[in-house]
């Protein structure tokens, strides 16, 4: 079972990373305003699996084992993983999304 822990509105990737625990895994579904090189704007729904180094192996296995089923059930296509909360920046997210032009 997946439980919604918190919901934020109008939060930047940098603000979001301060909300993530540094030693516990989390699933994040994030709608991001992405401006394409040609000026088009889209709002991709990104699934970010935060699996920090140093979290308990049991928690890591529980989250990792649930990830694929959740992604399939929610029909998410932009799936990313971070190993430290510091990785979650606007530049990182833009780089990941540039693949999906």
């Amino acid at each position: 079972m997946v439980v919604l822990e918190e919901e934020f509105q109008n939060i930047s990737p940098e603000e979001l990373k301060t909300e993530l625990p540094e030693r516990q895994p989390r699933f994040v579904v994030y709608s991001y305003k992405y401006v394409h090189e040609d000026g088009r704007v889209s709002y991709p729904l990104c699934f970010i699996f935060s699996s920090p180094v140093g979290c308990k192996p049991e928690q890591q296995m529980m989250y990792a084992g649930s990830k694929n089923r959740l992604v399939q059930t929610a029909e998410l296509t932009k799936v990313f993983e971070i190993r430290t909360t510091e990785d979650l920046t606007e530049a990182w997210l833009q780089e990941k999304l540039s693949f999906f032009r």
Side-chain angles (χ1 to χ4, degrees):
M1 176 181 359
V2 176
V3 177
L4 176 63
E5 186 175 299
E6 290 187 73
E7 185 173 351
F8 301 97
Q9 293 187 16
N10 301 318
I11 189 170
S12 73
E14 283 77 10
E15 293 168 324
L16 177 59
K17 78 177 171 187
T18 65
E19 299 295 332
L20 292 174
E22 292 181 15
R23 298 269 188 256
Q24 295 178 339
R26 287 292 185 270
F27 295 140
V28 176
V29 179
Y30 186 65
S31 178
Y32 177 69
K33 181 181 179 180
Y34 183 69
V35 180
H36 298 264
E37 291 177 4
D38 62 4
R40 293 176 298 121
V41 176
S42 63
Y43 295 86
L45 197 56
C46 305
F47 179 84
I48 302 167
F49 174 36
S50 173
S51 179
V53 175
C55 63
K56 294 180 181 178
E58 302 83 23
Q59 285 184 326
Q60 203 166 21
M61 288 179 9
M62 180 181 66
Y63 273 79
S66 305
K67 182 183 98 171
N68 288 339
R69 174 118 176 155
L70 178 60
V71 167
Q72 289 174 349
T73 301
E75 299 179 358
L76 298 165
T77 58
K78 287 143 183 87
V79 179
F80 313 117
E81 183 172 338
I82 56 174
R83 297 292 291 162
T84 174
T85 56
E86 290 304 310
D87 290 345
L88 185 56
T89 64
E90 188 130 10
W92 175 84
L93 191 53
Q94 288 178 355
E95 177 185 326
K96 294 293 186 183
L97 288 171
S98 68
F99 174 79
F100 293 96
R101 294 181 203 168

